[in-house]
Amino acid sequence: MMDALHSATLEAAQVSAIRALEVLECVQVLLHSVEEDGDPRSSHRLCSGAHEIVELAHSHIQDVSEALSKVVEAVEAEARDGRSTLS
């Protein structure tokens, strides 16, 4: 049962990591647009949008961190109890 929990938790972490990377790619595009744009108002809008997107990426990264913490805690508990860990 623990192996299934590990697998599901790791899969959720992987999905969140992929989402964070996708979101950060959007930030990269926005920041490139800021470099090319000479209009301060437009640049401000783009930077504000990039900031909001970074907050979304941060949320996904926190999900990854929480999922990995759960796996680490479970593996450490199994090791203490003498049970097998991830296969």
Side-chain angles (χ1 to χ4, degrees):
M1 182 166 142
M2 287 302 286
D3 287 339
L5 175 63
H6 293 321
S7 295
T9 303
L10 289 173
E11 186 176 328
Q14 185 177 18
V15 168
S16 288
I18 290 168
R19 286 181 181 153
L21 288 172
E22 291 169 345
V23 167
L24 290 174
E25 286 178 7
C26 294
V27 171
Q28 182 181 13
V29 169
L30 284 173
L31 294 178
H32 181 71
S33 296
V34 169
E35 287 178 345
E36 292 182 348
D37 193 350
D39 180 18
R41 281 187 244 164
S42 177
S43 293
H44 178 266
R45 267 194 324 273
L46 290 170
C47 286
S48 290
H51 181 263
E52 290 178 26
I53 292 170
V54 167
E55 292 297 317
L56 177 60
H58 183 256
S59 172
H60 287 300
I61 291 167
Q62 283 180 313
D63 291 345
V64 172
S65 178
E66 290 171 10
L68 293 176
S69 290
K70 289 177 185 176
V71 171
V72 168
E73 289 172 7
V75 170
E76 288 173 350
E78 288 176 359
R80 282 190 304 271
D81 294 343
R83 293 183 282 169
S84 65
T85 58
L86 286 174
S87 304

